[in-house]
Amino acid sequence: MASKLVGIVGQTGTGKSTAIKHLNPEETYIINVAKKELPFKGSEKIYNIESKNYKEIDDANEISRLLKTISEKAPHIKNIIIEDSNYIMGFNMVSKATETGFTKFSVMARDMVDLFRTARQLRDDITVFYLSHPEEIMDGQDVVGYKIKTAGKLIDNQVLLEGLLTVCLYTLVEENKDGSATYQFVTNRYRKIPAKSPDGMFAETKIPNNLQLVVDTVNNYYN
């Protein structure tokens, strides 16, 4: 059995990165693509280069190499977070802005497919989380659904990232009567949210935004 790859999709401020705090930092490695601060208290003391559980990388090929290294040489790591992953393509697009032709889109699509394949070929006790922003799917002026954000239609025409994921959860924030908010993950299709997971993996359509809960549920399902 191979490693597990789980997509976590949601707008900024909806609880994607905060959900990392529930994981054991001694078993978790964070690859920070956007190189911004993690949004929970004490994160810099827990995840840093000195602790050998954190690195800032934005190149797909370098991330693939790091994934292989962690799998082969860090047996204590069980969870790998690719944080703000949509910027892998975003930053690449900026760096290639002056290049003409369509070759750059094919190369970008290939690199992302290779990254996803690598993430699925690690040790069988590793779960890789691909944290990304969503993109609205429009029909005229109406939002009819969502998808994982990429670098545009020329990428989408070559690869559907959702098709490479068996588990893809979306964030959902619901306001309470007292003015507070409940942060959750959606586990299967709900209204316009195209979340997905295998039949019977999650008992509820909405679960707390807790990545340890997700890891335990996925492992129990397959083991």
Side-chain angles (χ1 to χ4, degrees):
M1 184 176 174
S3 49
K4 280 78 71 178
L5 175 58
V6 178
I8 304 291
V9 186
Q11 298 284 7
T12 297
T14 58
K16 297 189 307 299
S17 303
T18 304
I20 298 171
K21 70 180 182 180
H22 299 286
L23 294 170
N24 181 353
E26 295 181 359
E27 299 180 345
T28 303
Y29 196 106
I30 296 178
I31 300 171
N32 192 339
V33 177
K35 305 174 185 178
K36 66 180 184 182
E37 299 83 355
L38 297 172
F40 54 91
K41 188 175 182 179
S43 60
E44 292 183 359
K45 294 182 179 179
I46 300 171
Y47 293 102
N48 51 66
I49 296 175
E50 291 73 21
S51 298
K52 298 182 179 180
N53 62 0
Y54 177 92
K55 197 163 187 179
E56 297 179 350
I57 308 177
D58 59 24
D59 180 80
N61 294 317
E62 289 185 23
I63 292 174
S64 292
R65 285 192 288 269
L66 178 56
L67 291 176
K68 293 178 182 177
T69 299
I70 294 171
S71 180
E72 295 168 1
K73 299 183 178 181
H76 61 290
I77 296 298
K78 311 296 183 185
N79 314 299
I80 302 175
I81 311 295
I82 305 178
E83 164 73 329
D84 278 331
S85 57
N86 50 282
Y87 287 109
I88 297 171
M89 287 177 280
F91 292 156
N92 199 352
M93 280 293 295
V94 172
S95 67
K96 297 179 182 297
T98 59
E99 294 184 16
T100 58
F102 299 102
T103 301
K104 62 183 177 182
F105 297 104
S106 297
V107 171
M108 198 180 305
R110 181 202 64 195
D111 290 347
M112 291 306 298
V113 170
D114 287 346
L115 172 59
F116 271 54
R117 286 176 175 169
T118 298
R120 294 291 294 269
Q121 295 171 355
L122 309 180
R123 292 194 330 264
D124 60 7
D125 62 343
I126 289 179
T127 301
V128 180
F129 287 98
Y130 184 88
L131 275 59
S132 179
H133 293 161
E135 183 175 333
E136 295 179 343
I137 300 174
M138 306 295 296
D139 182 6
Q141 299 296 319
D142 299 322
V143 178
V144 296
Y146 301 90
K147 58 180 285 297
I148 293 176
K149 188 176 180 62
T150 66
K153 291 183 178 179
L154 291 173
I155 293 290
D156 295 340
N157 290 339
Q158 300 184 60
V159 59
L160 178 65
L161 295 183
E162 287 88 342
L164 302 176
L165 293 166
T166 305
V167 180
C168 187
L169 312 182
Y170 274 70
T171 58
L172 177 67
V173 182
E174 294 185 321
E175 295 185 4
N176 303 316
K177 292 181 179 180
D178 62 1
S180 63
T182 300
Y183 293 82
Q184 303 165 96
F185 289 146
V186 177
T187 63
N188 281 289
R189 179 168 288 277
Y190 175 75
R191 296 176 181 171
K192 298 177 182 179
I193 300 174
K196 65 176 183 176
S197 58
D199 182 40
M201 175 176 281
F202 293 94
E204 304 292 338
T205 301
K206 302 175 188 177
I207 62 172
N209 65 325
N210 180 330
L211 289 189
Q212 187 60 55
L213 172 62
V214 176
V215 169
D216 292 343
T217 303
V218 171
N219 287 339
N220 287 337
Y221 184 85
Y222 286 114
N223 295 331

mmCIF file of all heavy atoms in Angstrom, residues 121-160:
data_model
loop_
_atom_site.group_PDB
_atom_site.id
_atom_site.type_symbol
_atom_site.label_atom_id
_atom_site.label_comp_id
_atom_site.label_asym_id
_atom_site.label_seq_id
_atom_site.Cartn_x
_atom_site.Cartn_y
_atom_site.Cartn_z
ATOM 1 N N GLN A 121 3.635 7.853 -3.745
ATOM 2 C CA GLN A 121 4.573 6.737 -3.823
ATOM 3 C C GLN A 121 5.570 6.724 -2.660
ATOM 4 O O GLN A 121 6.638 6.119 -2.757
ATOM 5 C CB GLN A 121 5.328 6.783 -5.154
ATOM 6 C CG GLN A 121 4.426 6.576 -6.362
ATOM 7 C CD GLN A 121 5.127 6.831 -7.680
ATOM 8 O OE1 GLN A 121 6.276 7.259 -7.710
ATOM 9 N NE2 GLN A 121 4.433 6.582 -8.782
ATOM 10 N N LEU A 122 5.211 7.354 -1.560
ATOM 11 C CA LEU A 122 6.087 7.392 -0.391
ATOM 12 C C LEU A 122 5.789 6.199 0.506
ATOM 13 O O LEU A 122 5.018 5.314 0.148
ATOM 14 C CB LEU A 122 5.878 8.713 0.351
ATOM 15 C CG LEU A 122 5.970 9.997 -0.496
ATOM 16 C CD1 LEU A 122 5.733 11.218 0.373
ATOM 17 C CD2 LEU A 122 7.318 10.084 -1.200
ATOM 18 N N ARG A 123 6.393 6.176 1.692
ATOM 19 C CA ARG A 123 6.111 5.104 2.649
ATOM 20 C C ARG A 123 4.628 4.998 2.933
ATOM 21 O O ARG A 123 3.907 6.011 2.950
ATOM 22 C CB ARG A 123 6.845 5.361 3.978
ATOM 23 C CG ARG A 123 8.336 5.271 3.930
ATOM 24 C CD ARG A 123 8.917 5.201 5.349
ATOM 25 N NE ARG A 123 8.124 5.882 6.343
ATOM 26 C CZ ARG A 123 8.341 7.131 6.761
ATOM 27 N NH1 ARG A 123 9.336 7.832 6.270
ATOM 28 N NH2 ARG A 123 7.572 7.686 7.679
ATOM 29 N N ASP A 124 4.156 3.804 3.211
ATOM 30 C CA ASP A 124 2.717 3.617 3.391
ATOM 31 C C ASP A 124 2.180 4.176 4.702
ATOM 32 O O ASP A 124 0.966 4.190 4.911
ATOM 33 C CB ASP A 124 2.337 2.142 3.247
ATOM 34 C CG ASP A 124 3.019 1.247 4.266
ATOM 35 O OD1 ASP A 124 3.691 1.762 5.184
ATOM 36 O OD2 ASP A 124 2.882 0.012 4.136
ATOM 37 N N ASP A 125 3.062 4.646 5.594
ATOM 38 C CA ASP A 125 2.585 5.245 6.845
ATOM 39 C C ASP A 125 2.598 6.772 6.797
ATOM 40 O O ASP A 125 2.438 7.442 7.812
ATOM 41 C CB ASP A 125 3.421 4.753 8.039
ATOM 42 C CG ASP A 125 4.895 5.144 7.935
ATOM 43 O OD1 ASP A 125 5.358 5.504 6.823
ATOM 44 O OD2 ASP A 125 5.600 5.079 8.964
ATOM 45 N N ILE A 126 2.764 7.333 5.591
ATOM 46 C CA ILE A 126 2.800 8.789 5.422
ATOM 47 C C ILE A 126 1.498 9.283 4.795
ATOM 48 O O ILE A 126 0.968 8.687 3.868
ATOM 49 C CB ILE A 126 3.985 9.215 4.529
ATOM 50 C CG1 ILE A 126 5.316 9.024 5.273
ATOM 51 C CG2 ILE A 126 3.845 10.675 4.079
ATOM 52 C CD1 ILE A 126 6.535 9.394 4.446
ATOM 53 N N THR A 127 0.992 10.401 5.337
ATOM 54 C CA THR A 127 -0.123 11.120 4.727
ATOM 55 C C THR A 127 0.379 12.489 4.281
ATOM 56 O O THR A 127 0.964 13.228 5.077
ATOM 57 C CB THR A 127 -1.294 11.301 5.712
ATOM 58 O OG1 THR A 127 -1.741 10.022 6.148
ATOM 59 C CG2 THR A 127 -2.451 12.036 5.039
ATOM 60 N N VAL A 128 0.191 12.809 3.012
ATOM 61 C CA VAL A 128 0.586 14.109 2.468
ATOM 62 C C VAL A 128 -0.671 14.960 2.303
ATOM 63 O O VAL A 128 -1.631 14.543 1.661
ATOM 64 C CB VAL A 128 1.297 13.967 1.109
ATOM 65 C CG1 VAL A 128 1.690 15.347 0.567
ATOM 66 C CG2 VAL A 128 2.533 13.076 1.243
ATOM 67 N N PHE A 129 -0.655 16.153 2.893
ATOM 68 C CA PHE A 129 -1.778 17.085 2.777
ATOM 69 C C PHE A 129 -1.422 18.190 1.784
ATOM 70 O O PHE A 129 -0.411 18.874 1.945
ATOM 71 C CB PHE A 129 -2.112 17.707 4.125
ATOM 72 C CG PHE A 129 -2.786 16.768 5.081
ATOM 73 C CD1 PHE A 129 -2.061 16.116 6.065
ATOM 74 C CD2 PHE A 129 -4.149 16.518 4.989
ATOM 75 C CE1 PHE A 129 -2.673 15.246 6.944
ATOM 76 C CE2 PHE A 129 -4.776 15.653 5.858
ATOM 77 C CZ PHE A 129 -4.043 15.009 6.844
ATOM 78 N N TYR A 130 -2.266 18.341 0.773
ATOM 79 C CA TYR A 130 -2.084 19.366 -0.249
ATOM 80 C C TYR A 130 -3.090 20.480 0.037
ATOM 81 O O TYR A 130 -4.271 20.357 -0.267
ATOM 82 C CB TYR A 130 -2.323 18.737 -1.625
ATOM 83 C CG TYR A 130 -2.091 19.637 -2.819
ATOM 84 C CD1 TYR A 130 -0.828 19.745 -3.397
ATOM 85 C CD2 TYR A 130 -3.131 20.358 -3.390
ATOM 86 C CE1 TYR A 130 -0.608 20.553 -4.501
ATOM 87 C CE2 TYR A 130 -2.923 21.173 -4.504
ATOM 88 C CZ TYR A 130 -1.660 21.252 -5.040
ATOM 89 O OH TYR A 130 -1.455 22.058 -6.151
ATOM 90 N N LEU A 131 -2.622 21.555 0.689
ATOM 91 C CA LEU A 131 -3.491 22.668 1.089
ATOM 92 C C LEU A 131 -3.527 23.710 -0.013
ATOM 93 O O LEU A 131 -2.476 24.213 -0.438
ATOM 94 C CB LEU A 131 -2.995 23.299 2.387
ATOM 95 C CG LEU A 131 -3.447 22.654 3.707
ATOM 96 C CD1 LEU A 131 -3.017 21.195 3.789
ATOM 97 C CD2 LEU A 131 -2.917 23.426 4.898
ATOM 98 N N SER A 132 -4.731 24.040 -0.476
ATOM 99 C CA SER A 132 -4.853 24.933 -1.624
ATOM 100 C C SER A 132 -6.073 25.838 -1.506
ATOM 101 O O SER A 132 -7.014 25.548 -0.764
ATOM 102 C CB SER A 132 -4.953 24.103 -2.909
ATOM 103 O OG SER A 132 -5.087 24.930 -4.043
ATOM 104 N N HIS A 133 -6.072 26.912 -2.270
ATOM 105 C CA HIS A 133 -7.231 27.792 -2.385
ATOM 106 C C HIS A 133 -8.177 27.245 -3.452
ATOM 107 O O HIS A 133 -7.749 26.536 -4.360
ATOM 108 C CB HIS A 133 -6.792 29.203 -2.769
ATOM 109 C CG HIS A 133 -5.997 29.890 -1.708
ATOM 110 N ND1 HIS A 133 -5.198 30.978 -1.967
ATOM 111 C CD2 HIS A 133 -5.855 29.638 -0.387
ATOM 112 C CE1 HIS A 133 -4.614 31.377 -0.846
ATOM 113 N NE2 HIS A 133 -5.004 30.581 0.125
ATOM 114 N N PRO A 134 -9.465 27.588 -3.364
ATOM 115 C CA PRO A 134 -10.420 27.177 -4.401
ATOM 116 C C PRO A 134 -10.557 28.243 -5.481
ATOM 117 O O PRO A 134 -10.161 29.394 -5.300
ATOM 118 C CB PRO A 134 -11.722 27.046 -3.617
ATOM 119 C CG PRO A 134 -11.608 28.131 -2.579
ATOM 120 C CD PRO A 134 -10.142 28.244 -2.238
ATOM 121 N N GLU A 135 -11.137 27.832 -6.581
ATOM 122 C CA GLU A 135 -11.470 28.751 -7.660
ATOM 123 C C GLU A 135 -12.944 28.571 -7.987
ATOM 124 O O GLU A 135 -13.440 27.434 -8.053
ATOM 125 C CB GLU A 135 -10.613 28.448 -8.884
ATOM 126 C CG GLU A 135 -10.814 29.393 -10.045
ATOM 127 C CD GLU A 135 -9.841 29.117 -11.174
ATOM 128 O OE1 GLU A 135 -8.745 28.608 -10.908
ATOM 129 O OE2 GLU A 135 -10.198 29.420 -12.329
ATOM 130 N N GLU A 136 -13.666 29.649 -8.167
ATOM 131 C CA GLU A 136 -15.091 29.572 -8.470
ATOM 132 C C GLU A 136 -15.317 29.119 -9.913
ATOM 133 O O GLU A 136 -14.604 29.534 -10.828
ATOM 134 C CB GLU A 136 -15.756 30.931 -8.260
ATOM 135 C CG GLU A 136 -15.754 31.400 -6.808
ATOM 136 C CD GLU A 136 -16.394 32.767 -6.650
ATOM 137 O OE1 GLU A 136 -16.542 33.471 -7.679
ATOM 138 O OE2 GLU A 136 -16.741 33.129 -5.521
ATOM 139 N N ILE A 137 -16.310 28.268 -10.107
ATOM 140 C CA ILE A 137 -16.750 27.877 -11.442
ATOM 141 C C ILE A 137 -18.017 28.667 -11.743
ATOM 142 O O ILE A 137 -19.009 28.565 -11.014
ATOM 143 C CB ILE A 137 -17.033 26.364 -11.518
ATOM 144 C CG1 ILE A 137 -15.761 25.574 -11.171
ATOM 145 C CG2 ILE A 137 -17.539 25.978 -12.905
ATOM 146 C CD1 ILE A 137 -15.972 24.081 -11.086
ATOM 147 N N MET A 138 -17.970 29.456 -12.787
ATOM 148 C CA MET A 138 -19.062 30.381 -13.078
ATOM 149 C C MET A 138 -19.909 29.920 -14.259
ATOM 150 O O MET A 138 -19.414 29.294 -15.193
ATOM 151 C CB MET A 138 -18.494 31.772 -13.386
ATOM 152 C CG MET A 138 -17.576 32.355 -12.326
ATOM 153 S SD MET A 138 -18.420 32.677 -10.759
ATOM 154 C CE MET A 138 -19.594 33.930 -11.257
ATOM 155 N N ASP A 139 -21.199 30.227 -14.184
ATOM 156 C CA ASP A 139 -22.116 30.080 -15.306
ATOM 157 C C ASP A 139 -22.781 31.438 -15.470
ATOM 158 O O ASP A 139 -23.757 31.755 -14.786
ATOM 159 C CB ASP A 139 -23.145 28.986 -15.024
ATOM 160 C CG ASP A 139 -24.090 28.771 -16.202
ATOM 161 O OD1 ASP A 139 -23.865 29.382 -17.264
ATOM 162 O OD2 ASP A 139 -25.064 28.000 -16.050
ATOM 163 N N GLY A 140 -22.204 32.247 -16.343
ATOM 164 C CA GLY A 140 -22.654 33.636 -16.447
ATOM 165 C C GLY A 140 -22.258 34.391 -15.193
ATOM 166 O O GLY A 140 -21.086 34.468 -14.842
ATOM 167 N N GLN A 141 -23.239 34.918 -14.462
ATOM 168 C CA GLN A 141 -22.979 35.658 -13.235
ATOM 169 C C GLN A 141 -23.110 34.790 -11.982
ATOM 170 O O GLN A 141 -22.920 35.271 -10.871
ATOM 171 C CB GLN A 141 -23.959 36.840 -13.129
ATOM 172 C CG GLN A 141 -23.842 37.843 -14.268
ATOM 173 C CD GLN A 141 -22.497 38.544 -14.303
ATOM 174 O OE1 GLN A 141 -21.961 38.919 -13.266
ATOM 175 N NE2 GLN A 141 -21.942 38.702 -15.496
ATOM 176 N N ASP A 142 -23.442 33.523 -12.165
ATOM 177 C CA ASP A 142 -23.716 32.646 -11.028
ATOM 178 C C ASP A 142 -22.549 31.699 -10.737
ATOM 179 O O ASP A 142 -21.939 31.148 -11.661
ATOM 180 C CB ASP A 142 -24.972 31.815 -11.295
ATOM 181 C CG ASP A 142 -26.206 32.676 -11.502
ATOM 182 O OD1 ASP A 142 -26.318 33.702 -10.806
ATOM 183 O OD2 ASP A 142 -27.034 32.323 -12.363
ATOM 184 N N VAL A 143 -22.272 31.508 -9.447
ATOM 185 C CA VAL A 143 -21.291 30.505 -9.015
ATOM 186 C C VAL A 143 -21.999 29.158 -8.966
ATOM 187 O O VAL A 143 -22.966 28.974 -8.236
ATOM 188 C CB VAL A 143 -20.718 30.852 -7.622
ATOM 189 C CG1 VAL A 143 -19.740 29.762 -7.181
ATOM 190 C CG2 VAL A 143 -20.025 32.207 -7.647
ATOM 191 N N VAL A 144 -21.524 28.201 -9.760
ATOM 192 C CA VAL A 144 -22.169 26.883 -9.813
ATOM 193 C C VAL A 144 -21.335 25.799 -9.146
ATOM 194 O O VAL A 144 -21.787 24.668 -8.987
ATOM 195 C CB VAL A 144 -22.472 26.483 -11.269
ATOM 196 C CG1 VAL A 144 -23.479 27.449 -11.883
ATOM 197 C CG2 VAL A 144 -21.201 26.421 -12.106
ATOM 198 N N GLY A 145 -20.106 26.138 -8.744
ATOM 199 C CA GLY A 145 -19.258 25.153 -8.085
ATOM 200 C C GLY A 145 -17.877 25.695 -7.812
ATOM 201 O O GLY A 145 -17.615 26.897 -7.979
ATOM 202 N N TYR A 146 -16.986 24.799 -7.385
ATOM 203 C CA TYR A 146 -15.614 25.182 -7.049
ATOM 204 C C TYR A 146 -14.645 24.103 -7.527
ATOM 205 O O TYR A 146 -15.036 22.959 -7.769
ATOM 206 C CB TYR A 146 -15.456 25.371 -5.535
ATOM 207 C CG TYR A 146 -16.365 26.425 -4.952
ATOM 208 C CD1 TYR A 146 -17.640 26.094 -4.493
ATOM 209 C CD2 TYR A 146 -15.965 27.751 -4.868
ATOM 210 C CE1 TYR A 146 -18.489 27.059 -3.966
ATOM 211 C CE2 TYR A 146 -16.797 28.728 -4.345
ATOM 212 C CZ TYR A 146 -18.061 28.369 -3.903
ATOM 213 O OH TYR A 146 -18.897 29.329 -3.385
ATOM 214 N N LYS A 147 -13.387 24.477 -7.654
ATOM 215 C CA LYS A 147 -12.333 23.555 -8.024
ATOM 216 C C LYS A 147 -11.033 24.006 -7.377
ATOM 217 O O LYS A 147 -10.954 25.126 -6.856
ATOM 218 C CB LYS A 147 -12.153 23.509 -9.544
ATOM 219 C CG LYS A 147 -11.820 24.880 -10.157
ATOM 220 C CD LYS A 147 -11.656 24.824 -11.660
ATOM 221 C CE LYS A 147 -10.350 24.210 -12.051
ATOM 222 N NZ LYS A 147 -9.170 24.981 -11.605
ATOM 223 N N ILE A 148 -10.030 23.150 -7.388
ATOM 224 C CA ILE A 148 -8.718 23.538 -6.886
ATOM 225 C C ILE A 148 -8.139 24.615 -7.808
ATOM 226 O O ILE A 148 -8.154 24.478 -9.030
ATOM 227 C CB ILE A 148 -7.772 22.326 -6.832
ATOM 228 C CG1 ILE A 148 -8.256 21.333 -5.770
ATOM 229 C CG2 ILE A 148 -6.342 22.767 -6.521
ATOM 230 C CD1 ILE A 148 -7.437 20.054 -5.713
ATOM 231 N N LYS A 149 -7.630 25.673 -7.218
ATOM 232 C CA LYS A 149 -7.083 26.782 -7.998
ATOM 233 C C LYS A 149 -5.788 26.356 -8.691
ATOM 234 O O LYS A 149 -4.906 25.768 -8.069
ATOM 235 C CB LYS A 149 -6.824 27.985 -7.090
ATOM 236 C CG LYS A 149 -6.424 29.257 -7.828
ATOM 237 C CD LYS A 149 -6.275 30.411 -6.855
ATOM 238 C CE LYS A 149 -5.882 31.696 -7.572
ATOM 239 N NZ LYS A 149 -6.906 32.136 -8.545
ATOM 240 N N THR A 150 -5.688 26.668 -9.978
ATOM 241 C CA THR A 150 -4.471 26.398 -10.745
ATOM 242 C C THR A 150 -3.988 27.701 -11.375
ATOM 243 O O THR A 150 -4.461 28.780 -11.020
ATOM 244 C CB THR A 150 -4.728 25.349 -11.843
ATOM 245 O OG1 THR A 150 -5.630 25.910 -12.814
ATOM 246 C CG2 THR A 150 -5.331 24.074 -11.258
ATOM 247 N N ALA A 151 -3.100 27.578 -12.359
ATOM 248 C CA ALA A 151 -2.578 28.767 -13.028
ATOM 249 C C ALA A 151 -3.407 29.166 -14.238
ATOM 250 O O ALA A 151 -2.995 30.003 -15.026
ATOM 251 C CB ALA A 151 -1.127 28.535 -13.444
ATOM 252 N N GLY A 152 -4.582 28.551 -14.410
ATOM 253 C CA GLY A 152 -5.458 28.978 -15.488
ATOM 254 C C GLY A 152 -5.945 27.841 -16.367
ATOM 255 O O GLY A 152 -5.612 26.679 -16.179
ATOM 256 N N LYS A 153 -6.753 28.190 -17.368
ATOM 257 C CA LYS A 153 -7.415 27.199 -18.217
ATOM 258 C C LYS A 153 -6.428 26.375 -19.033
ATOM 259 O O LYS A 153 -6.709 25.215 -19.363
ATOM 260 C CB LYS A 153 -8.413 27.891 -19.145
ATOM 261 C CG LYS A 153 -9.625 28.471 -18.417
ATOM 262 C CD LYS A 153 -10.619 29.075 -19.386
ATOM 263 C CE LYS A 153 -11.834 29.598 -18.639
ATOM 264 N NZ LYS A 153 -12.826 30.214 -19.567
ATOM 265 N N LEU A 154 -5.285 26.948 -19.391
ATOM 266 C CA LEU A 154 -4.318 26.196 -20.180
ATOM 267 C C LEU A 154 -3.696 25.067 -19.360
ATOM 268 O O LEU A 154 -3.217 24.089 -19.929
ATOM 269 C CB LEU A 154 -3.225 27.134 -20.722
ATOM 270 C CG LEU A 154 -3.702 28.115 -21.800
ATOM 271 C CD1 LEU A 154 -2.607 29.104 -22.161
ATOM 272 C CD2 LEU A 154 -4.158 27.356 -23.040
ATOM 273 N N ILE A 155 -3.708 25.201 -18.044
ATOM 274 C CA ILE A 155 -3.300 24.099 -17.168
ATOM 275 C C ILE A 155 -4.465 23.121 -17.024
ATOM 276 O O ILE A 155 -4.305 21.898 -17.137
ATOM 277 C CB ILE A 155 -2.874 24.615 -15.785
ATOM 278 C CG1 ILE A 155 -1.580 25.435 -15.888
ATOM 279 C CG2 ILE A 155 -2.681 23.450 -14.812
ATOM 280 C CD1 ILE A 155 -0.347 24.633 -16.201
ATOM 281 N N ASP A 156 -5.658 23.648 -16.784
ATOM 282 C CA ASP A 156 -6.848 22.804 -16.579
ATOM 283 C C ASP A 156 -7.131 21.920 -17.780
ATOM 284 O O ASP A 156 -7.661 20.814 -17.639
ATOM 285 C CB ASP A 156 -8.069 23.674 -16.288
ATOM 286 C CG ASP A 156 -7.934 24.438 -14.985
ATOM 287 O OD1 ASP A 156 -7.111 24.025 -14.143
ATOM 288 O OD2 ASP A 156 -8.641 25.444 -14.809
ATOM 289 N N ASN A 157 -6.792 22.404 -18.981
ATOM 290 C CA ASN A 157 -7.026 21.607 -20.189
ATOM 291 C C ASN A 157 -6.120 20.386 -20.260
ATOM 292 O O ASN A 157 -6.396 19.443 -21.014
ATOM 293 C CB ASN A 157 -6.813 22.466 -21.443
ATOM 294 C CG ASN A 157 -7.899 23.510 -21.626
ATOM 295 O OD1 ASN A 157 -8.994 23.384 -21.089
ATOM 296 N ND2 ASN A 157 -7.591 24.559 -22.376
ATOM 297 N N GLN A 158 -5.041 20.397 -19.481
ATOM 298 C CA GLN A 158 -4.077 19.309 -19.544
ATOM 299 C C GLN A 158 -4.133 18.377 -18.339
ATOM 300 O O GLN A 158 -3.786 17.195 -18.443
ATOM 301 C CB GLN A 158 -2.650 19.878 -19.669
ATOM 302 C CG GLN A 158 -2.461 20.729 -20.911
ATOM 303 C CD GLN A 158 -1.039 21.205 -21.070
ATOM 304 O OE1 GLN A 158 -0.108 20.413 -21.175
ATOM 305 N NE2 GLN A 158 -0.852 22.522 -21.077
ATOM 306 N N VAL A 159 -4.568 18.887 -17.199
ATOM 307 C CA VAL A 159 -4.610 18.045 -16.004
ATOM 308 C C VAL A 159 -5.704 18.536 -15.060
ATOM 309 O O VAL A 159 -5.872 19.744 -14.865
ATOM 310 C CB VAL A 159 -3.241 18.032 -15.281
ATOM 311 C CG1 VAL A 159 -2.815 19.440 -14.860
ATOM 312 C CG2 VAL A 159 -3.278 17.118 -14.065
ATOM 313 N N LEU A 160 -6.481 17.587 -14.508
ATOM 314 C CA LEU A 160 -7.489 17.894 -13.503
ATOM 315 C C LEU A 160 -6.945 17.400 -12.164
ATOM 316 O O LEU A 160 -6.898 16.193 -11.917
ATOM 317 C CB LEU A 160 -8.815 17.203 -13.837
ATOM 318 C CG LEU A 160 -9.961 17.405 -12.840
ATOM 319 C CD1 LEU A 160 -10.388 18.870 -12.816
ATOM 320 C CD2 LEU A 160 -11.145 16.510 -13.205
#
